[in-house]
Amino acid sequence: MAQWTSAVGAAQLARLLNSQQDRPAPGTRRPPAYRALADGIRLLVLEGRVPVAARLPAERELALSLSVSRTTVAAAYEALRGEGFLESRRGAGSWTAVPAGNPLPARGLEPLPPEALGSVIDLGCASLPAPEPWLTRAVQGALEELPPYAHTHGDYPAGLPALRAMIAERYTARGVPTMPEQIMVTTGAMGAIDAICHLFGGRGERIAVESPSYANILQLMREAGARLVPVAMAEGLSGWDMDRWRQVLRESAPRLAYVVADFHNPTGALADEDQRRRMVDAARSAGTVLVADETMGHLWLDEKYADGGMPRPVCAFDPAGSTVITVGSASKAFWAGMRIGWVRAAPDVIRSLVAARAYADLGTPVLEQLAVNWLFSTGGWEQALDLRRAQARENRDALVAAVRRELPDWEFEVPDGGLTLWVRAGGLSGSRLAEAGERVGVRVPSGPRFGVDGAFEGYVRLPFTVGGAVAEEAAVRLAAAARLVETGATGGAEAPRTFVA
């Protein structure tokens, strides 16, 4: 019986390997070709970009795709077997593995467990601590409202009527008339997009995505069996090339398109109203359903966006409601532990999503819905957002200053909102920086996690979720990781010192 559960083709593996950029330091020698190949495959496994238990191509096939000798591939496979990253059996081929005692690589950007935070600075998860005292007050308010609901079955597949009405009112106040029947409450934005993908994007369906885009959503779509169609973002914070979008939508005719128009994750770009209008027009012309993710939309950090300075929602340019589905969430704006999201769409789409939900999670926890409704109805949401923006702004400025001081060759633009910096890492491999970072005590996601088929190897994403002395220490450790990559060091690094904020 074969031990592998999936397969990686020779052409696909070659694309992933060729995307890994290396810049050897002056005076250093390149490793032998077999060693470089083995290291490249090992990195792909450690990052989760090639799954564990994935069958690798035969030696001859990979050699042809990489234009190297079969002897080089055979030696690389043998080195990986010796290190525990490859297993083989005659007649069954070779498949990826991880050495005993190593944790399985994460496919997304899961946060570190709390017990690891004393020695590792986590720049993988773009989330902030809860804005107290508003979390406690919201939960207390929810408990006061709970008794009438406790006398019911507690299942509300579309969400609590009071919260649906409140979310609808908030869209109406933003200039987009909305009825409660156009709202479904979900378990976070991920739950919302998962439901949308299953309704519209069946296995094999094309989904157009920004390139780069949010790593966890890309992985969700891959695992749903979607065929991702990347549309390159413009350089810097200018964001969306609408001519390119129109061409891709016209030629590929994807069933869905996914965009983050409000402080895009990971680049921080903000789409202006003309871009939003043209995006909706292009999707409508192509017959594509446009999913607009607003999870970062409340996190503007520049005062010019206060008092109505933000562009209108994407759905404002779809008055008939036939093209745009909007996803929102309390998880980024308030607290990641508050797993409340929502979908705004045409009533018939909401009915279909609710019907399909019976075979998924049935509904969202009542107590958390009551907590968010309390925040919305009392003004606590706005006051919590003021705290959140102040904290994110302070963290952003501290991290920007620290990275510019410690890593002056790294390039990035400072966004006006959101939670992330998209950084070109001075010609270094983002994958190798991520690996070296683990050894010196800073966890950072590499650029390829945010792309399709190995794109953005020269980038890393840095969330401004730490500030002050922790941000300074994070930059120091990133600089240490960069030095390890530049010198090609492969031995064990000095254990990171425990850091207490």
Side-chain angles (χ1 to χ4, degrees):
M1 179 179 177
Q3 302 297 306
W4 48 273
T5 57
S6 62
V8 181
Q12 179 188 8
L13 183 56
R15 284 197 304 272
L16 292 171
L17 289 166
N18 287 332
S19 73
Q20 295 175 332
Q21 304 168 5
D22 268 325
R23 186 187 68 182
T28 62
R29 297 173 58 187
R30 285 189 176 275
Y34 86 90
R35 184 68 260 174
L37 175 56
D39 287 347
I41 295 174
R42 178 174 55 84
L43 274 175
L44 292 173
V45 173
L46 288 172
E47 283 212 314
R49 291 161 61 201
V50 168
V52 175
R55 187 179 186 273
L56 294 187
E59 295 170 1
R60 187 184 302 276
E61 294 175 7
L62 186 57
L64 287 171
S65 292
L66 292 173
S67 298
V68 300
S69 71
R70 183 178 177 180
T71 301
T72 296
V73 177
Y77 279 15
E78 183 60 33
L80 289 169
R81 277 189 287 269
E83 295 164 3
F85 285 95
L86 197 68
E87 296 181 9
S88 303
R89 196 176 70 209
R90 186 178 298 277
S94 299
W95 56 92
T96 57
V98 291
N102 279 37
L104 289 174
R107 300 300 302 275
L109 302 177
E110 293 82 0
L112 282 174
E115 60 269 19
L117 295 178
S119 59
V120 178
I121 298 175
D122 186 6
L123 296 181
C125 184
S127 297
L128 291 163
E132 289 287 26
W134 295 106
L135 174 61
T136 299
R137 291 180 183 178
V139 173
Q140 291 171 341
L143 287 171
E144 293 175 2
E145 298 291 332
L146 182 61
Y149 295 94
H151 293 293
T152 73
H153 48 64
D155 287 335
Y156 297 89
L160 293 184
L163 181 55
R164 295 176 73 197
M166 183 63 67
I167 294 170
E169 287 179 17
R170 295 178 74 85
Y171 275 107
T172 300
R174 294 169 66 191
V176 187
T178 303
M179 303 178 295
E181 292 79 9
Q182 291 177 261
I183 301 296
M184 181 177 82
V185 181
T186 63
T187 307
M190 291 288 288
I193 294 170
D194 182 58
I196 294 166
C197 286
H198 280 89
L199 181 64
F200 289 96
R203 186 164 294 276
E205 290 280 5
R206 294 184 180 91
I207 301 179
V209 295
E210 297 146 329
S211 183
S213 187
Y214 179 37
N216 286 340
I217 293 296
L218 294 180
Q219 191 59 36
L220 182 155
M221 292 174 175
R222 290 188 188 101
E223 292 181 358
R227 297 165 61 190
L228 300 184
V229 181
V231 187
M233 296 282 286
E235 284 293 320
L237 299 178
S238 55
W240 294 260
D241 182 333
M242 297 317 306
D243 291 335
R244 185 177 295 160
W245 266 99
R246 183 173 291 278
Q247 178 184 0
V248 169
L249 294 184
R250 182 178 63 247
E251 295 178 354
S252 299
R255 187 72 180 92
L256 288 175
Y258 170 77
V259 298
V260 185
D262 299 285
F263 304 118
H264 176 261
N265 186 354
T267 68
L270 176 69
D272 61 30
E273 292 208 352
D274 181 63
Q275 289 172 320
R276 294 166 192 243
R277 180 183 294 105
R278 294 176 66 189
M279 177 75 73
V280 174
D281 289 345
R284 184 183 297 115
S285 297
T288 297
V289 175
L290 182 62
V291 181
D293 187 337
E294 293 187 330
T295 55
M296 293 286 191
H298 295 287
L299 292 174
W300 52 262
L301 304 182
D302 193 309
E303 289 299 324
K304 68 185 178 184
Y305 299 113
D307 300 322
M310 283 285 291
R312 285 177 290 170
V314 174
C315 57
F317 302 96
D318 180 37
S322 59
T323 300
V324 177
I325 297 177
T326 303
V327 171
S329 174
S331 297
K332 293 295 186 185
F334 186 75
W335 184 48
M338 187 69 76
R339 304 304 305 159
I340 299 294
W342 52 85
V343 177
R344 181 199 180 275
D348 61 318
V349 172
I350 294 298
R351 287 193 293 270
S352 297
L353 288 170
V354 171
R357 192 174 196 178
Y359 306 101
D361 62 359
L362 293 177
T364 302
V366 170
L367 188 63
E368 292 184 28
Q369 292 187 71
L370 289 172
V372 172
N373 193 58
W374 183 92
L375 288 166
F376 285 157
S377 60
T378 62
W381 177 261
E382 283 70 26
Q383 295 185 65
L385 278 178
D386 287 342
L387 290 176
R388 171 66 77 236
R389 292 187 189 111
Q391 184 181 17
R393 188 183 301 114
E394 182 178 335
N395 287 355
R396 179 196 63 183
D397 295 346
L399 185 63
V400 164
V403 172
R404 283 178 172 165
R405 181 180 62 250
E406 299 293 335
L407 294 151
D409 292 339
W410 288 20
E411 303 170 38
F412 55 88
E413 292 192 40
V414 182
D416 290 336
L419 289 171
T420 58
L421 297 176
W422 184 236
V423 180
R424 192 192 301 270
L428 301 180
S429 160
S431 298
R432 298 183 189 279
L433 280 168
E435 182 190 32
E438 296 280 355
R439 291 158 54 195
V440 298
V442 59
R443 182 172 181 257
V444 57
S446 66
R449 287 182 178 272
F450 303 88
V452 177
D453 281 343
F456 308 110
E457 183 60 53
Y459 289 80
V460 292
R461 189 194 73 171
L462 302 182
F464 28 94
T465 50
V466 296
V470 183
E472 294 178 6
E473 178 67 13
V476 169
R477 295 186 185 188
L478 285 171
R483 288 192 294 274
L484 288 177
V485 175
E486 287 173 338
T487 58
T490 57
E494 180 181 350
R497 63 184 183 275
T498 299
F499 186 84
V500 179

